[in-house]
Amino acid sequence: MKVMKKKYLMICSALLAFPAMAQDTYENARLLGNDLNGTARYVGMGGAMEALGADLSTIRTNPAGIGLFRKSGVNFSLGVVSQANANAKLDHSATKLSFDQIGFYRTMRTGQTSYVNFAFNFSKGTNFNYFLAAADQLNNASLGKQAYLKGMRGSLSNGGYSIGTGSGSNVDTYYGYIDNSSNNIARNYGQLDYLYWNTRLVDKNNPSLFGYDAANGYDFNRSQRGYIGNYDFNISGNVNDRVYLGLTLGLRTVNYKGYSEYVENLVNASNTAIGTATITDERKVKGTGFDLSAGVIFRPVEESPFRIGLSINSPSWYDLKTENYTTIQNDGQNQGKWEHGKSSEVYNYKLFTPWTFGASLGHTVGNFLALGASVSYADYSTVDNRYIDGEYVDYYGYTTETSASDKVMNNHAKRTLNGVATVKVGMECKVLPQIALRAGYNYVTPAYKKDAFKDGALNSEGSYYSSAADYTNWKGTNRMTLGVGYIGKNFSADLAYQYSATDGEFYPFTNGLAAHDASTNTTLVNEAKAVQVSNQRHQVLFTLGYRF
């Protein structure tokens, strides 16, 4: 066994210092959309209550639904969420308790049939808990080869960078510059590029020689947890019990933490094993945001309970901070200049999500059957990735940051993301005066285009601060729900079950990145096949309610 050198490479934030920047498309896509979550009644009906209303979970999807309450009350929801296909390799628990919702509504009569209502509701909009595992063979490909090919391209204008050393105390450190005549580091020279060029790609005996090692396979595992918290404040009411109006101010909190391990089994030109290269990456994202939602529900025929609902949700305007701690472990046979490396960065950025538009239908038959259907649409390709470009002090002495759109990454989002529609249908049937059975289904169309890929060669701050090369093109999501409820004079108790499933195609790095090798007049290509992955989740949700 080889004796390890007592050398350690550390990427210093000061060397890579830039103003606070934006994240890349795949990282930010986690913050788009919402899970089906809220009260057990809402979940049991598949969320198809935007026109039926009278449930706290419609406070954002159609704020006018709060206007249908005729009594004041409170709700409290707890649940259990379990990933059906989880792998505990990274100490990730497949089953977790979840505090999902709490809220109240206050009604005030303003006329014979008119009300003004106020409400507050907390809910988990997105639950990040998930474990992803993927492994596959590689053929003359590796993550190190990706960094090497970007260096071969020679300049930012060619989708790569020019490799050169620093100056002074950094004379032995390699950086990727815009071109061979520039002292400016290219924006597509990410943290993984830095680690590879200063650990594996430089010959330890002759620093003027560069090269990469291919791999014959890899093993990838990621464990992530956290949630987006929704804090919604609503005012709503109705006109003659026929037209219902609502407005909601929403405050959002983001709490995300992910940890991944990526191991490549390296081989030499004779396909003989020469060790492994391991990348570990810990990423945290925290921040706050706010948005506005407005809605209307109306009964077109006065004598009929049939209802039509319309809603609009503004973008969520997020202020976010992300930080990472990334390491490389070079466990090969005398490969590369260093055997360890680490990188850490902390920065702030902004993200503006797309507008969302909704339409819904609702109908009741007597007091024993309720039917609902709704559709919402958001064009994910219009997400606005933004970087902070300055700040100013206002009249009162408060400092405010200014930002600008990351045009390169936004163009990448247009090429990567789709417009996404969510279709919901649901029903509730009272089999006894106090017992109701519920069922629902909804489908979320794919967020990613079929040919989408994570482009680490982009001239963008999102590429510059990236510390992960993998990406998954998730397909559509199917959700099926069942529920049962007890409705007493003042108390209510509801139980719901939800099964959701999403399939995807995982890639360990940008598939098909290529560069021309002038010395051999050949084109080198780095390719990896898609690995089929899925996210299958079970949820059991229980809600207690009290009306007064």
Side-chain angles (χ1 to χ4, degrees), residues 78-147:
L78 291 172
V80 177
V81 180
S82 179
Q83 183 182 337
N85 57 339
N87 184 320
K89 192 168 184 179
L90 292 183
D91 194 28
H92 177 95
S93 175
T95 303
K96 292 183 179 292
L97 294 175
S98 180
F99 169 51
D100 292 288
Q101 177 271 331
I102 187 170
F104 69 89
Y105 47 95
R106 178 76 170 90
T107 65
M108 299 176 60
R109 185 189 293 271
T110 60
Q112 186 66 28
T113 57
S114 299
Y115 288 78
V116 172
N117 297 343
F118 300 90
F120 166 78
N121 191 54
F122 163 80
S123 65
K124 284 186 177 178
T126 299
N127 188 333
F128 292 126
N129 288 350
Y130 177 60
F131 182 89
L132 185 149
D136 199 12
Q137 296 179 345
L138 293 172
N139 182 17
N140 192 27
S142 67
L143 184 55
K145 184 178 179 180
Q146 175 170 283

Side-chain angles (χ1 to χ4, degrees), residues 364-377:
T364 58
V365 179
N367 63 353
F368 67 91
L369 181 65
L371 303 171
S374 66
V375 60
S376 62
Y377 178 82

Side-chain angles (χ1 to χ4, degrees), residues 1 27 35 69 80 131 162 169 186 190 204 265 291 297 331 391 482 484 526:
M1 180 178 292
E27 293 289 336
D35 292 341
F69 281 115
V80 177
F131 182 89
S162 176
S169 60
K204 68 173 184 177
N265 302 313
D291 52 45
I297 300 172
D331 186 16
E391 61 183 31
L482 295 171
V484 61
N526 202 40

Side-chain angles (χ1 to χ4, degrees), residues 58-71:
T58 66
I59 196 169
R60 187 182 185 215
T61 55
N62 188 343
I66 305 300
L68 276 85
F69 281 115
R70 292 296 171 266
K71 289 185 177 180

Side-chain angles (χ1 to χ4, degrees), residues 61-304:
T61 55
N62 188 343
I66 305 300
L68 276 85
F69 281 115
R70 292 296 171 266
K71 289 185 177 180
S72 302
V74 296
N75 287 115
F76 174 79
S77 303
L78 291 172
V80 177
V81 180
S82 179
Q83 183 182 337
N85 57 339
N87 184 320
K89 192 168 184 179
L90 292 183
D91 194 28
H92 177 95
S93 175
T95 303
K96 292 183 179 292
L97 294 175
S98 180
F99 169 51
D100 292 288
Q101 177 271 331
I102 187 170
F104 69 89
Y105 47 95
R106 178 76 170 90
T107 65
M108 299 176 60
R109 185 189 293 271
T110 60
Q112 186 66 28
T113 57
S114 299
Y115 288 78
V116 172
N117 297 343
F118 300 90
F120 166 78
N121 191 54
F122 163 80
S123 65
K124 284 186 177 178
T126 299
N127 188 333
F128 292 126
N129 288 350
Y130 177 60
F131 182 89
L132 185 149
D136 199 12
Q137 296 179 345
L138 293 172
N139 182 17
N140 192 27
S142 67
L143 184 55
K145 184 178 179 180
Q146 175 170 283
Y148 181 78
L149 293 181
K150 289 168 71 176
M152 283 187 64
R153 290 182 172 186
S155 68
L156 183 61
S157 61
N158 290 328
Y161 40 71
S162 176
I163 288 296
T165 58
S167 59
S169 60
N170 300 315
V171 70
D172 292 327
T173 304
Y174 290 87
Y175 300 99
Y177 296 99
I178 290 176
D179 54 44
N180 59 12
S181 63
S182 175
N183 292 322
N184 296 321
I185 297 176
R187 290 295 199 272
N188 60 3
Y189 186 70
Q191 296 184 64
L192 292 178
D193 296 309
Y194 193 111
L195 286 173
Y196 267 95
W197 276 102
N198 287 280
T199 58
R200 294 207 56 84
L201 304 185
V202 180
D203 189 286
K204 68 173 184 177
N205 297 315
N206 187 348
S208 64
L209 296 179
F210 309 126
Y212 70 91
D213 292 312
N216 62 9
Y218 70 88
D219 185 50
F220 178 87
N221 294 277
R222 171 177 287 122
S223 172
Q224 63 183 49
R225 61 183 184 270
Y227 63 92
I228 296 178
N230 297 332
Y231 301 81
D232 293 306
F233 302 83
N234 173 274
I235 181 171
S236 57
N238 75 82
V239 180
N240 297 324
D241 204 23
R242 187 172 175 183
V243 177
Y244 309 86
L245 303 169
L247 181 67
T248 294
L249 168 65
L251 304 180
R252 315 291 167 218
T253 60
V254 177
N255 298 276
Y256 170 85
K257 184 176 182 179
Y259 175 80
S260 66
E261 291 183 358
Y262 175 73
V263 182
E264 286 185 331
N265 302 313
L266 303 174
V267 294
N268 60 19
S270 301
N271 204 36
T272 301
I274 58 172
T276 61
T278 301
I279 295 287
T280 65
D281 182 56
E282 182 177 341
R283 171 72 63 178
K284 297 179 182 178
V285 181
K286 293 187 176 182
T288 59
F290 71 96
D291 52 45
L292 295 171
S293 305
V296 58
I297 300 172
F298 61 94
R299 294 189 293 114
V301 180
E302 185 174 3
E303 295 79 16
S304 172

